[in-house]
Amino acid sequence: MKTSPTEIVDRLVGRLMVNLRDSDESIRLPATAQLWRIWFQQKGVWGIEQLRRAQFPLDASDPEAAEALLSEIAAETPDFAAAWNRRAVLYFTRGYYPKSRETASMRSNSHRFTSECGTA
């Protein structure tokens, strides 16, 4: 029986999630970087462009516009973990901790990277 690409990615993510809990920073840091790469590439070029689009208002000191864009992206693609995560991080950095936690728990991706890293 042939292993599907989804099964391969799920196994890789599972191993990386275990590595996030390792006490050795030289194991945790590469796992963190690899998970970010997987998340940001999840939706290909379209996903990367959407996240960049949401970054422009942040760079212009307009977090409300960034929140609106991220909410729109998350609603249109509920399986896009990076959009949910970015919105949770936006709330967290603005001090909206309950909203950050709620957003992190709402996303449909079963891997709780944000929570595992302690950023939400």
Side-chain angles (χ1 to χ4, degrees):
M1 181 188 271
K2 188 175 180 178
T3 305
S4 75
T6 301
E7 290 171 319
I8 293 169
V9 171
D10 284 347
R11 285 185 200 150
L12 171 61
V13 169
R15 284 193 303 268
L16 293 170
M17 295 299 286
V18 168
N19 289 349
L20 287 179
R21 295 183 192 101
D22 198 290
S23 61
D24 184 346
E25 189 175 84
S26 70
I27 293 173
R28 282 193 321 272
L29 291 179
T32 301
Q34 181 64 26
L35 280 166
W36 280 119
R37 278 191 294 277
I38 290 168
W39 269 20
F40 283 119
Q41 294 172 1
Q42 178 190 14
K43 294 295 180 184
V45 172
W46 178 88
I48 292 168
E49 288 303 314
Q50 296 306 306
L51 294 172
R52 284 184 185 152
R53 192 177 112 209
Q55 185 62 39
F56 289 131
L58 285 174
D59 293 343
S61 299
D62 189 357
E64 290 82 12
E67 177 186 353
L69 283 169
L70 290 165
S71 295
E72 177 185 317
I73 295 165
E76 290 174 5
T77 52
D79 65 333
F80 188 17
W84 288 97
N85 183 69
R86 185 63 192 103
R87 191 173 78 166
V89 169
L90 173 64
Y91 290 145
F92 185 85
T93 59
R94 297 185 71 208
Y96 304 151
Y97 305 119
K99 282 180 92 169
S100 176
R101 187 175 308 280
E102 178 183 335
T103 296
S105 67
M106 285 172 39
R107 71 173 185 264
S108 62
N109 188 311
S110 63
H111 303 293
R112 301 289 188 236
F113 178 54
T114 302
S115 297
E116 295 291 334
C117 288
T119 58

